[in-house]
């Protein structure tokens, strides 16, 4: 946000590309890598997207929302949930902004969009889970839903009556503005006359009495959701999938969900503790796990690109990183804040037909990796690798010795995961190149490293 | 005759193998399929099935609207501020009248023209069901209903698998492909092509036939290796390309590495073949809208024109369109989405005429669900049954199939707020399409295990 504001203050104009440029600035130059990485993971759970008629080409709204994820990446989940719920960008994306109370005489009922997705996607999911992420089954062996349509309708009522907080005051029904409109970046505020005062039966049978305020109903609804036993395993599993591997063991999920439930100091929802638990878990680190045939996940294209540009200290041009429109299938098929829908670029339970499916393994990132995008991605990454603003001075200095060069790339790109055979294949090929053309040797070596299965699958 | 008996005995014999009839009939699909196709196919003519999936839940209640006065008034009263004005609705002339009059959304003049000229049909109030379900059944919970009604993801999957009460492993389009692919001899690429811009779909997932995903601009060639992928190139390019091949083809312990290596390796070859076939295919003069859907259908038309070079007698295509989840700004958003559908489907039909195969290509629409009749102030919410179109020269058009719901909140067809309980199941819809495509009557039960619960194995919308 500060970058966008500065540009605006300097006379603008601020186009939506600024959002992408700011993201890349933080990714390449930022010193808070883990925070940015977790925020990116959170943006794939609490999804808003430029790819929608209500948010299209709205850089300030998108940046303001993303900053909430960055700021709260290590805060408490309950805080994050409330900031997301009341952010006007989310209010526009899932139509909670200006969602009015029921009017049965005129056959009009509150919009159910946010009520549904806040439960289905942002907190508890569709079916009841055990602490280890496994699905609870009833006596007939069928899953147990977490809520039904009646609950959605009442949660929708509970969340009615929120509007934009503009400079001149609250304006019910106003959903416009961008850029300097402060209402777009302040939390939404309640308009009691538009709030449903009916009695409501929300999640888990909790009854919200009639006649209360919008703030009371919102607080109790979010508290009820937050305290549902599903949240720990539901959120933990997805964060593990983004940060470590696609198929965590039930024990791993349980260890992390346990930390979500209680960080050791009696606090529920401590995201910093959860992230720490995820990354320091034996299943994240030990070779006895990482060498298993079922381990790992296909690297997300955006993370691959940021890995590469950061590894080689890509220089900004006039202080800008003009890395745009990566969401095209001819580019990376992925771009922060540009998911095709609220279901993100890929789902946690995507199954790739073939040996992975036969082994019962999920492979979310393969959902965006197919006959067209796999090649396009390699082409795009290779083009980026050849960019003139990448600093290959060290790599060029050792390019006379392909084995040494490849081993170096093995460390800075692949965390040492290239197999001996892969390293041998690449060094031999590079060895056929003119030794005087140092930069070409380096960029072609990088192309081959990032195209290798050893690299593309993070272990 | 002999073959018919032996097949039936085989199916009955499934239970002897210790597996339930329904589950095993899917896993034994290929053996049944081989018999079925050999028997059923005499002419090896060409056919293509094109699925247009409208993601988000298309508002059926504003797609086909009753215009006779009692019914229109019921509709307008229920819809309040979402109702289309009577004057704006485009009247249609169905040959199988039910005494009432109907029309289409103002954004659909071309589909209306195709309907009135017999090239398009409409199927009313279709959706996922586990068994025929009345309003009383729904309220009293005496009939099982598909799980997670009103959830985009789940309902989209039910539409694409046509087996809502089983864990999704394959789609009905994939199961059909597994059977009919024996008609495609030595085809270098898959018969199942997905144009969905963000990757795969469940509809075309089969046991053996893979999905080839392609974008609307066609296949991508691997860059950076000169002509080496085509057998040429400098020594250096060859060396680097061979290094890539070695890395991709080497078998490893890690299944993800193997999957990625295989995918990229095969894609490099298939893209080359596809690119070449498309380049050599006859050019199309039909102009398509420059929208996501228009471009997808243009690529479908080009792939159909290349069917000879690809040795394909049967092809399925999956295209998608978004923007149907009209919780908000419904009137304008829905109008835009349907206008795109109208222009794109019309252009595609004309392209099939240009290619001389209009009678051999059938396009059908599908969507997660219909929407509530009632308004939330700015739009509608998730529903259940919706209306869909089937288009092509083989379609017995200018008719409304299925049964149109009574547009009354809490009326006999309502599950609440005008979420119509489907009166035709996705199974019956899909089986009718599969049957035209070449699947035999016996195999229909293997592909659609729940079909026997419904009364209309064939809805009759083909000539």
């Amino acid at each position: 946000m500060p970058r966008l504001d500065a540009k605006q203050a300097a006379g603008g104009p601020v186009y939506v590309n600024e959002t992408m440029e700011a993201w890349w600035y933080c990714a390449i130059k930022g010193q808070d890598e883990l925070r940015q990485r977790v925020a990116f993971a959170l943006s794939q759970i609490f999804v808003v997207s430029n790819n929608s008629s209500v948010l299209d080409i709205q850089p300030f709204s998108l940046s303001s929302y993303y900053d909430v994820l960055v700021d709260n990446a290590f805060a408490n989940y309950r805080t994050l949930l409330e900031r997301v719920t009341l952010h006007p960008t989310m209010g526009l994306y899932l139509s909670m902004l200006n969602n009015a109370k029921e009017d049965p005489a005129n056959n009009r009922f509150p919009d159910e969009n946010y009520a549904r997705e806040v439960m289905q996607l942002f907190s508890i999911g569709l079916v009841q889970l055990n602490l280890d992420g496994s699905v609870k089954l009833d006596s007939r062996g069928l899953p147990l839903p977490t809520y039904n349509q009646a609950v959605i309708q009442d949660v929708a009522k509970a969340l009615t009556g929120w509007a934009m907080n503009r400079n001149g005051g609250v304006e019910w029904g106003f959903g416009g503005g961008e850029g300097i409109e402060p209402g777009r970046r302040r939390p939404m505020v309640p308009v009691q006359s538009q709030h449903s005062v009916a009695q409501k039966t929300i999640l888990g049978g909790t009854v919200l009495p009639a006649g209360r305020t919008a703030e009371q109903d919102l607080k109790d609804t979010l508290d009820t959701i937050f305290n549902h036993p599903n949240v720990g395993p539901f959120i933990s599993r997805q964060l593990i999938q983004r940060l470590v591997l696609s198929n965590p063991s039930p024990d791993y999920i349980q260890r992390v969900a346990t930390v979500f439930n209680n960080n050791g100091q009696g606090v529920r929802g401590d995201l910093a503790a959860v992230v720490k638990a995820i990354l320091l878990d034996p299943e994240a680190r030990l070779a006895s796990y990482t060498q298993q045939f079922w381990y790992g996940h296909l690297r997300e294209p955006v993370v691959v690109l940021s890995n590469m540009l950061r590894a080689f200290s890509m220089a900004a041009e006039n202080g800008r990183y003009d890395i745009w429109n990566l969401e095209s299938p001819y580019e990376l098929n992925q771009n922060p804040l540009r998911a095709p829908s609220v279901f993100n670029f890929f789902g946690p339970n995507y199954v790739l037909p073939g040996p992975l499916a036969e082994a019962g393994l999920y492979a979310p990132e393969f959902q965006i990796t197919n006959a067209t995008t796999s090649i396009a991605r390699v082409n795009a990454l290779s083009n980026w690798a050849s960019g003139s603003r990448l600093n290959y001075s060290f790599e060029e200095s050792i390019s006379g010795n392909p084995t040494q060069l490849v081993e170096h790339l093995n460390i800075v790109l692949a965390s040492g995961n290239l197999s001996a055979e892969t390293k041998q294949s690449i060094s031999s090929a590079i060895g056929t190149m003119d030794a005087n053309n140092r930069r070409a040797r380096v960029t072609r070596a990088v192309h081959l490293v990032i195209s290798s299965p050893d690299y593309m699958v993070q272990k | 005759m002999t073959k018919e008996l032996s097949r039936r005995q085989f199916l009955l014999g499934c239970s002897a193998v210790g597996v339930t009839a329904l589950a095993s009939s899917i896993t034994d699909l290929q053996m049944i399929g081989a018999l079925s196709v050999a028997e059923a196919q005499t002419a090896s003519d060409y056919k293509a099935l094109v699925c247009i999936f409208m993601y988000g839940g298309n508002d059926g209640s504003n797609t086909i609207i009753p215009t006779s006065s009692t019914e229109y008034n019921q509709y307008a009263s229920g819809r309040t501020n979402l109702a289309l004005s009577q004057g704006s609705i485009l009247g249609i002339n169905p040959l199988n009248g039910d005494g009432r009059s109907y029309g289409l959304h103002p954004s659909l003049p071309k589909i209306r023209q195709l309907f009135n000229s017999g090239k398009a049909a409409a199927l009313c109030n279709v959706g996922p069901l586990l068994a025929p379900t009345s309003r009383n059944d729904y309220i009293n919970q005496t009939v099982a209903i598909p799980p997670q009604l009103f959830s985009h993801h789940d309902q989209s999957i039910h539409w694409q698998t046509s087996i809502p009460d089983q864990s999704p492993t394959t789609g009905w389009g994939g199961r059909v492909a597994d059977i009919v692919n024996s008609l495609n001899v030595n085809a270098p690429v898959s018969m199942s092509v997905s144009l969905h811009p963000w990757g795969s779909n469940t509809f075309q997932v089969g046991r053996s036939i893979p999905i080839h995903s392609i974008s609307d601009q066609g296949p991508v060639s691997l860059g950076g290796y000169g002509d080496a992928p085509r057998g040429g190139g400098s020594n250096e390019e060859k060396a680097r390309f061979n290094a890539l091949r070695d890395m991709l083809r080497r078998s490893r312990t890690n299944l993800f590495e193997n999957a990625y290596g295989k995918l990229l390796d095969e894609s490099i070859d298939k893209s080359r073949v596809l690119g070449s076939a498309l380049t050599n295919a006859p050019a199309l003069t039909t102009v398509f809208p420059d929208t996501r859907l228009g471009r997808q259908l243009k690529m479908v038309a080009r792939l159909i024109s290349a069917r000879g070079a690809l040795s394909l007698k049967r092809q399925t295509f999956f295209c998608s369109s978004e923007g149907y989840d009209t919780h908000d700004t419904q009137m304008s958003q829905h109008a835009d989405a349907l206008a795109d559908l109208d222009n794109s489907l019309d252009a595609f039909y004309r392209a099939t005429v240009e290619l001389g195969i209009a009678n051999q290509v059938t396009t059908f629409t599908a969507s997660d669900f219909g929407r509530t009749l009632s308004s939330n102030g700015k739009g509608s919410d998730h529903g259940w049954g919706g209306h869909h179109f089937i288009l092509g020269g083989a379609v017995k058009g200018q008719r409304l199939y299925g049964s149109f719901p009574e547009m009354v909140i809490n009326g006999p067809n309502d599950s609440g707020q005008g979420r119509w309980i489907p009166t035709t199941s996705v199974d019956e819809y899909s089986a009718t399409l599969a049957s035209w495509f070449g699947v035999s009557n016996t195999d229909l039960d293997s592909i659609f295990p729940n079909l026997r619960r419904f009364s209309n194995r064939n809805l009759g919308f083909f000539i």
Side-chain angles (χ1 to χ4, degrees), chain A residues 330 372, chain B residues 188-189 193 195 212 214-220 270-284 295-310 312 315 317 355:
Chain A
Y330 290 99
T372 301
Chain B
V189 295
V193 173
L195 280 299
H212 189 101
I214 189 173
S215 87
D216 59 26
Q217 295 179 54
V220 180
K270 288 186 179 161
S271 296
R272 199 179 56 247
V273 167
L274 207 46
S276 171
L278 284 171
T279 308
N280 296 329
L284 282 169
R295 290 191 296 267
Q296 289 175 59
L297 283 169
K298 181 174 180 181
M299 180 50 63
V300 171
R302 291 182 61 204
L303 287 165
I304 291 176
S305 78
R307 65 198 181 282
L310 298 172
L312 289 167
Q315 286 179 289
F317 297 94
L355 290 170

Side-chain angles (χ1 to χ4, degrees), chain B residues 277-295:
Chain B
L278 284 171
T279 308
N280 296 329
L284 282 169
T285 61
T286 304
V287 175
F288 283 79
D290 189 20
T291 60
R292 272 206 192 110
L293 182 60
R295 290 191 296 267

Side-chain angles (χ1 to χ4, degrees), chain A residues 178-455:
Chain A
E178 227 298 292
I180 56 169
E181 167 59 61
R184 284 286 197 129
R185 28 177 125 174
R186 293 185 188 132
M188 297 190 289
V189 289
V191 176
Q192 187 58 26
S193 60
Q194 301 289 347
H195 177 68
S196 164
V197 292
Q199 177 178 294
K200 308 154 191 90
T201 305
I202 60 169
L203 184 66
T206 300
V207 176
L208 304 181
R212 304 200 314 162
T213 66
E215 297 100 309
Q216 286 167 327
D217 281 345
L218 179 107
K219 176 185 183 306
D220 284 356
T221 301
L222 294 186
D223 282 345
T224 306
I225 291 173
F226 173 58
N227 287 312
H228 192 286
N230 262 34
V231 182
F234 185 77
I235 295 294
S236 298
R237 176 177 174 245
Q238 290 187 73
L239 286 175
I240 296 173
Q241 282 188 316
R242 291 290 73 70
L243 298 176
V244 184
L245 80 164
S246 300
N247 297 277
S249 67
D251 286 344
Y252 186 12
I253 296 175
Q254 181 154 334
R255 290 191 290 270
V256 177
T258 303
V259 171
F260 182 94
N261 288 352
N262 184 338
N263 68 349
Q265 277 95 55
V267 175
R268 178 178 172 78
D270 179 351
L271 290 174
V274 166
V275 169
K276 189 171 167 186
I278 290 174
L279 295 176
L280 296 182
D281 192 278
E283 195 161 316
R285 297 180 297 115
L286 299 185
S288 50
Y289 287 105
T290 65
Q291 286 169 7
Q292 296 288 335
F293 69 89
W294 47 264
Y295 198 85
H297 64 149
L298 189 66
R299 289 183 200 253
E300 298 180 57
V302 165
V303 175
V304 170
L305 183 60
S306 56
N307 177 11
M308 193 166 70
L309 301 183
R310 205 180 162 94
F312 304 113
S313 308
M314 182 189 190
E317 187 164 342
N318 299 325
R320 294 168 59 207
Y321 284 103
D322 50 344
I323 301 172
W324 304 337
N325 303 331
L326 299 174
E327 72 275 15
S328 160
Y330 290 99
E331 263 287 345
L332 298 189
N333 211 23
Q334 188 187 35
N335 200 5
L337 294 174
R338 285 172 125 79
S341 77
V342 72
F343 293 91
N344 192 35
F345 306 100
F346 39 73
N349 296 328
Y350 179 75
V351 171
L352 179 71
L356 283 171
E358 282 153 33
L361 299 173
Y362 299 108
E365 294 83 357
F366 272 97
Q367 191 173 337
I368 55 168
T369 310
N370 57 48
T372 301
T373 58
S374 59
I375 300 180
R377 184 176 311 170
V378 164
N379 286 350
L381 290 168
S382 298
N383 285 338
W384 286 107
S386 305
S388 57
R389 281 150 52 191
L390 268 64
N391 181 350
Y392 286 129
S393 44
F394 176 72
E395 290 74 20
E396 287 181 31
S397 73
I398 59 171
S399 63
N401 183 339
T403 306
Q404 187 187 354
L405 171 64
V406 172
E407 186 49 52
H408 167 72
L409 295 177
N410 183 25
I411 305 300
V412 303
L413 285 177
S415 313
N417 276 315
L418 300 184
S419 65
E421 294 95 326
T422 292
K423 288 189 285 188
Q424 176 60 37
S425 295
I426 300 177
S427 342
S428 302
I430 299 306
T432 68
M433 296 177 69
D434 177 2
N436 292 324
N437 205 341
R438 297 173 195 257
R439 193 173 181 85
R441 276 194 163 196
V442 173
T443 56
R444 296 303 194 188
V446 172
H447 292 188
L448 283 167
V449 168
I450 60 179
S451 307
S452 68
D454 318 46
Y455 170 76

Side-chain angles (χ1 to χ4, degrees), chain B residues 186-246:
Chain B
N186 292 329
V189 295
S190 174
M191 67 169 273
S192 304
V193 173
S194 174
L195 280 299
H196 182 39
W198 294 288
S200 197
N201 61 76
T202 306
F203 171 64
Q204 290 172 313
V205 176
R207 295 237 171 248
S208 52
I209 307 304
I211 303 175
H212 189 101
S213 290
I214 189 173
S215 87
D216 59 26
Q217 295 179 54
V220 180
S221 313
L222 182 69
Y225 299 89
D227 256 340
R230 284 166 291 285
S234 66
N235 284 340
E236 175 216 309
E237 285 164 345
K238 281 186 177 133
R240 288 189 290 108
F241 184 66
N242 287 336
L244 178 67
R245 281 282 202 209
D246 287 344

